[in-house]
Amino acid sequence: MHRLLRLPKVPVRSFRQDLTRLRSDSAPKNDLVRATLVLEDGTRMPGYSFGSRTGVSGEVVFSTGMVGYTESLTDPSYKGQLLSLTYPMVGNYGVPDPNVVDNFGLPKGFESGKIHASALVVQDYSANYSHWTAHSSLGDWLEREGVPGLCGIDTRALTRKIRQKGTMLGAIHIDGEEPPAKQDPNLRNLVAEVSRKDVRVFGEGNPVKVLAVDCGIKHNIIRMLVQRGAELTVVPWDYNFSEVMDKYDGLFLSNGPGDPSMCTATIDQLKK
């Protein structure tokens, strides 16, 4: 007869438990401050600030992924956006060391060299983290990058609202501080803000020569193309690539943030 092995119950800490601990901490940086997500239709969703304690405005969007918050936050496609995550607990596996790079010289676990999202909105934020690659907490990383976080929000209700009404502008208001000025990031040329400024070659010597126009390219796109045999030359969004295409086997245009009609320099090159 098989015997049942009774395992001891392991307590799971959540934002609510962390909130009690943080409130009792005497260090000012660990005091959670009330903050509110305010949508352009007047909806107000109160919560608590973590990360960088600053108000911010932008376009409110959501992601339904269960993992991958470091990749999403550093994805250039989220430039100027307040990113809401539907998965209920976020931060429990921390953030890897951005100084650890792969064989392409790109930081592991990140899609670019910095956070591009303007803010992160979650339900339960876990200040406690555990993972063999973890270097810091999510909140500490956001604070270093100057990016605000907002927790205690019903992000699934927020997602339903966005799905019903479409994307909308919003802002995070920190209690006791002046609200941020309203901004629509889609009125800016976001591609110009995130595109690289220099030319860089990955996978030098590979047989297939591909020129990639960086309109907000993710690191994993570079990895996948090089691993499949491409010598990838990554150029800025406004690079005069029409004059050198005879040297390449193919042209790759990356995705990116904002309104593509603002990429007039890229469009003009494609017409030539």
Side-chain angles (χ1 to χ4, degrees), residues 15 18 28 36 42 50 52-54 63 68 103 105 118 148 171 177 188-189 200 235 250 254 264 266 270:
F15 158 73
D18 288 331
T36 305
F50 72 101
S52 178
R53 291 182 185 168
T54 180
S63 172
N103 55 333
S118 292
E177 297 183 7
R188 311 194 321 252
N189 186 345
R200 185 172 174 184
V235 301
S254 81
T264 54
T266 311
L270 290 170

Side-chain angles (χ1 to χ4, degrees), residues 172-217:
I172 293 177
H173 294 189
I174 307 297
D175 281 18
E177 297 183 7
E178 287 292 322
K182 180 179 178 180
Q183 290 189 23
D184 183 353
N186 295 306
L187 300 179
R188 311 194 321 252
N189 186 345
L190 299 177
V191 167
E193 295 180 24
V194 303
S195 179
R196 68 183 310 111
K197 308 304 179 187
D198 59 351
V199 177
R200 185 172 174 184
V201 179
F202 297 89
E204 189 169 1
N206 282 354
V208 182
K209 313 302 180 184
V210 177
L211 187 141
V213 182
D214 180 7
C215 297
I217 195 168

Side-chain angles (χ1 to χ4, degrees), residues 33-53:
V33 174
R34 288 187 177 273
T36 305
L37 176 64
V38 181
L39 303 179
E40 63 177 322
D41 67 353
T43 301
R44 301 179 66 88
M45 306 182 79
Y48 292 90
S49 170
F50 72 101
S52 178
R53 291 182 185 168

Side-chain angles (χ1 to χ4, degrees), residues 222-251:
I222 297 173
R223 295 185 186 101
M224 293 299 101
L225 289 174
V226 173
Q227 288 172 4
R228 285 159 175 77
E231 179 184 273
L232 196 67
T233 302
V234 185
V235 301
W237 72 282
D238 56 353
Y239 188 80
N240 293 326
F241 56 83
S242 62
E243 300 176 358
V244 296
M245 279 312 300
D246 58 317
K247 301 177 182 178
Y248 296 93
D249 301 307
L251 174 67

